[in-house]
Amino acid sequence: MAALKALWPKAILWFWVSALLALAQLVWADERLLLATTTSTENSGLLAVLNPAFEKRTGIKIDVLAVGSGQALALGKNCDVDTVLAHAPEAEKAFVQAGYGVNRRKVMHNDFLLVGPEEDPAKVKSAKTAADALRRIAKAQAPFVSRGDNSGTHQKEIALWRQAGIVPQGRWYFAIGQGMEATLQFAAEKRAYALSDRGTFLALQSKLELSPVFEGDPQLFNPYHIIAVNPKRCPNANYEAAIRYAAFLTGPEGQKLIAEFKIAGQRLFQPDALDY
């Protein structure tokens, strides 16, 4: 009996040590990062490569909300996410300047292109600039499908129409308020033109009866940035995890994965944080 009494305090100690270790493991396993990003990034398949590598390295699980860039930034403003990966430079700068985001970093870029039916009824393939291509579409009143969702792609499209001196309207212009994949599918069904980021188009090209009809204009450059939600405005944001994720994306491992990510032998994104 005396021996049992002597062991009792040690048993209690080991019980609590074991319980605390189990709790620590549970907390670590449940640490999560809420990422708002664009449908174009998600649809490309890139995050399915990047995020598991980050989770394996850190133990932090990533929950992805794939929306347009405008909606992603709005989620950041409302403290609903921890970090934002977007491709709407002017809106991103305003987001940071207003104090909603911090530590904005370059991650990668690709480009936009105009896609449409192979027969190209508006003769877009002969255009000299993106603005000229849109003028041809408007003049022919050829069907054009817009995301119409305040995404980075939609904002770029609006800017291009402005450069072309055209306010797109009429029965030929469809603003559907959907993501990139849905927009491309609708364009294929309508035998219409659309503006797409290259990554999503390449990822879906085999399923669509659409072809590239105009590309290469410097105005079609499409950069992506990662921005942490400002912890001073959003105290509940997982700022530490957001910074670790940004460091991963812009560090050697993340940049290498971005550089090596290809579909049908074509690189979808060019890493921008390091020299590749």
Side-chain angles (χ1 to χ4, degrees):
M1 182 63 71
L4 288 175
K5 288 182 178 180
L7 289 172
W8 183 248
K10 292 182 180 179
I12 294 176
L13 176 62
W14 281 112
F15 170 79
W16 283 112
V17 168
S18 299
L20 288 172
L21 286 173
L23 180 61
Q25 290 174 352
L26 182 62
V27 170
W28 176 256
D30 283 346
E31 184 175 4
R32 309 193 80 85
L33 175 70
L34 192 53
L35 166 68
T37 189
T38 66
T39 56
S40 59
T41 317
E42 174 77 352
N43 291 342
S44 71
L46 177 63
L47 293 182
V49 174
L50 289 172
N51 289 356
F54 174 77
E55 291 172 354
K56 183 178 180 181
R57 171 180 284 271
T58 65
I60 300 170
K61 301 298 182 183
I62 301 177
D63 297 311
V64 176
L65 291 175
V67 292
S69 286
Q71 291 173 280
L73 293 168
L75 289 168
K77 288 181 181 180
N78 293 333
C79 302
D80 293 325
V81 295
D82 304 310
T83 191
V84 178
L85 177 61
H87 63 127
E90 295 308 314
E92 293 165 23
K93 291 175 186 176
F95 179 78
V96 173
Q97 289 169 359
Y100 296 110
V102 293
N103 200 40
R104 178 173 177 258
R105 301 189 195 180
K106 293 190 296 183
V107 177
M108 60 191 180
H109 73 269
N110 61 11
D111 61 344
F112 294 104
L113 65 162
L114 283 164
V115 300
E118 177 62 34
E119 59 270 22
D120 187 24
K123 309 301 181 188
V124 173
K125 293 177 183 178
S126 301
K128 302 300 183 184
T129 66
D132 179 31
L134 291 181
R135 290 190 199 100
R136 290 168 181 254
I137 293 170
K139 183 177 180 180
Q141 294 198 354
F144 184 96
V145 183
S146 168
R147 286 184 58 162
D149 63 350
N150 197 33
S151 62
T153 305
H154 183 218
Q155 291 178 37
K156 171 59 72 172
E157 181 211 322
I158 291 171
L160 292 173
W161 283 117
R162 191 178 298 118
Q163 290 175 20
I166 294 170
V167 177
Q169 56 188 348
R171 297 180 63 183
W172 59 275
Y173 185 77
F174 301 87
I176 65 172
Q178 298 289 324
M180 196 71 257
E181 182 174 1
T183 299
L184 289 172
Q185 290 173 343
F186 192 84
E189 292 169 5
K190 291 287 186 181
R191 308 296 296 162
Y193 295 94
L195 181 71
S196 175
D197 69 284
R198 185 176 296 275
T200 304
F201 179 71
L202 288 176
L204 300 174
Q205 185 175 14
S206 62
K207 304 175 184 178
L208 302 169
E209 291 188 16
L210 292 172
S211 301
V213 292
F214 184 84
E215 56 191 306
D217 188 328
Q219 292 296 322
L220 299 178
F221 180 70
N222 183 30
Y224 289 76
H225 297 85
I226 188 77
I227 312 169
V229 170
N230 189 345
K232 292 183 179 179
R233 281 185 176 266
C234 303
N236 293 326
N238 193 344
Y239 179 69
E240 182 180 348
I243 293 301
R244 293 181 73 180
Y245 187 61
F248 170 78
L249 292 184
T250 60
E253 184 177 0
Q255 293 284 283
K256 185 173 185 290
L257 289 172
I258 292 168
E260 293 176 348
F261 183 67
K262 297 179 180 180
I263 291 180
Q266 294 191 55
R267 178 186 286 183
L268 271 65
F269 299 93
Q270 175 67 40
D272 282 339
L274 299 173
D275 294 329
Y276 273 88

